[in-house]
Every structure is written in structure tokens, then in C-alpha cells.
């Protein structure tokens, strides 16, 4: 079942790279008591994700935070090492937390997985943006076509705040 506006996020764990190595973070660690702009992408460094989706987030990061967003988070079905390298290469001002969902546990729990096995990518996340306030979904912008960034970019979410 796909998560929808008004639903609470399910309990899940992410891997996040820190100065002390890979750490486990729960949905409560990331979302409890916070207003979070969550951006989900099919894969780190993939064409649309890297060249279109990420710039839309970071070009709007200051404005998102000015509108009350306490955390900008990026989630993908990749491991923490890949997500850390992608953060290094895209998040020049350290404005976001990059959440590794390597086994797609969170992605499956919210019902937003897609099978990209035909392209050799296995199970991946659909592309979306979400406003989560204290663990509850307030806005969900799901792309109809995973290779496009028409409703899931930082500019769209900013315009909805």
C-alpha cells in the first residue's frame, strides 16, 4: 500500500555516513519533532537524479529552510558509501542528510518501490518529494515517469510551502 498524505511514516532504519563511520538512523531520529523535506531518487549518480533532481534541491535549499524546513533529506536505494560520495559531489554547503536505504526497507514500507531489474538496477525507489511534519506526511509529489523531474523537485516543494 502506498503511503498518502495524512499517514505517519512507518518505523524504518537508514544508514548514514558520519565522521565515526556508518551509523544507523531511525525514522524517529530523522523526522520526530522536525519539519523535513524528503527527496527520493531512483539512484545516486544516475543521469536524471544527478543532473536534474539534485540541483533543484540545492538551488532551493536556503529558501526551503527560510520557509521552516529544519532538515533536507535525500533517500535512495544505495549503500552508505555511495550516498556519502554523492553527498560530497553534490552538497557543497552541507545542507542535507543523505539516507542510504540499501535494502529498500523504507522504500518498500512506504510502498514507493519500483522494479528496475530490466535496466540492471534491481529494486529502486520511485522519484518523489515529501513534506514530513513530525513524522506525518503533509505533501507527497510523486513523479509519474521516473526519468523526469516535473513535480518532485525542490522548486515545486518550495512553491507548496
Amino acid at each position: 500500500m502506498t503511503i498518502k498524505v495524512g499517514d505517519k511514516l512507518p518505523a524504518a532504519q537508514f544508514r548514514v555516513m558520519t565522521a565515526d563511520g556508518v551509523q544507523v538512523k531511525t525514522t524517529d531520529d530523522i523526522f520526530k519533532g522536525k519539519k523535513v523535506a524528503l527527496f527520493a531518487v531512483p539512484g545516486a549518480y544516475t543521469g536524471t537524479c544527478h543532473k536534474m533532481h539534485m540541483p533543484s534541491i540545492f538551488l532551493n535549499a536556503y529558501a526551503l529552510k527560510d520557509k521552516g524546513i529544519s532538515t533536507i533529506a535525500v533517500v535512495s536505494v544505495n549503500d552508505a558509501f555511495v550516498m556519502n560520495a554523492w553527498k560530497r559531489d553534490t552538497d557543497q554547503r552541507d545542507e542535507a542528510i543523505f539516507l542510504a536505504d540499501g535494502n529498500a526497507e523504507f522504500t518498500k514500507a512506504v510502498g514507493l518501490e519500483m522494479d528496475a531489474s530490466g535496466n540492471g538496477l534491481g529494486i529502486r525507489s520511485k522519484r518523489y518529494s515529501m513534506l514530513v511534519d513530525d513524522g506525518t506526511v503533509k505533501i507527497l509529489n510523486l513523479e509519474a515517469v521516473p526519468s523526469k523531474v516535473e513535480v518532485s523537485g525542490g522548486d515545486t516543494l518550495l512553491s507548496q510551502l
Side-chain angles (χ1 to χ4, degrees):
M1 186 169 96
T2 302
I3 199 160
K4 61 187 180 309
V5 172
D7 289 350
K8 291 287 268 182
L9 290 180
Q13 294 182 338
F14 305 97
R15 302 296 189 279
V16 177
M17 188 64 74
T18 70
D20 297 322
V22 178
Q23 301 290 318
V24 173
K25 299 286 183 182
T26 66
T27 45
D28 277 353
D29 294 334
I30 305 299
F31 300 100
K32 189 174 183 179
K34 300 173 191 161
K35 190 179 277 189
V36 179
L38 177 65
F39 297 92
V41 296
Y45 291 107
T46 57
T48 303
C49 301
H50 190 70
K51 295 176 185 171
M52 294 172 62
H53 207 162
M54 297 308 285
S56 81
I57 297 165
F58 294 114
L59 288 171
N60 291 287
Y62 288 148
L64 286 164
K65 290 183 177 183
D66 285 347
K67 292 277 191 171
I69 298 297
S70 55
T71 303
I72 296 171
V74 177
V75 64
S76 184
V77 180
N78 289 108
D79 65 67
F81 299 96
V82 169
M83 293 300 282
N84 188 53
W86 202 30
K87 177 178 177 57
R88 177 199 66 217
D89 293 347
T90 59
D91 187 6
Q92 304 304 309
R93 297 180 302 225
D94 193 27
E95 296 171 303
I97 185 169
F98 280 54
L99 306 172
D101 186 25
N103 295 322
E105 292 164 357
F106 173 78
T107 298
K108 290 176 182 177
V110 295
L112 292 169
E113 75 276 7
M114 67 176 186
D115 187 349
S117 297
N119 293 322
L121 299 172
I123 300 300
R124 295 294 177 130
S125 175
K126 293 181 180 179
R127 184 182 309 282
Y128 62 89
S129 65
M130 186 183 288
L131 174 65
V132 181
D133 192 351
D134 193 25
T136 299
V137 178
K138 298 296 184 180
I139 297 171
L140 175 60
N141 301 312
L142 179 61
E143 291 291 347
V145 178
S147 62
K148 295 189 177 183
V149 181
E150 295 177 340
V151 300
S152 62
D155 50 341
T156 301
L157 191 58
L158 176 62
S159 73
Q160 296 170 317
L161 299 178

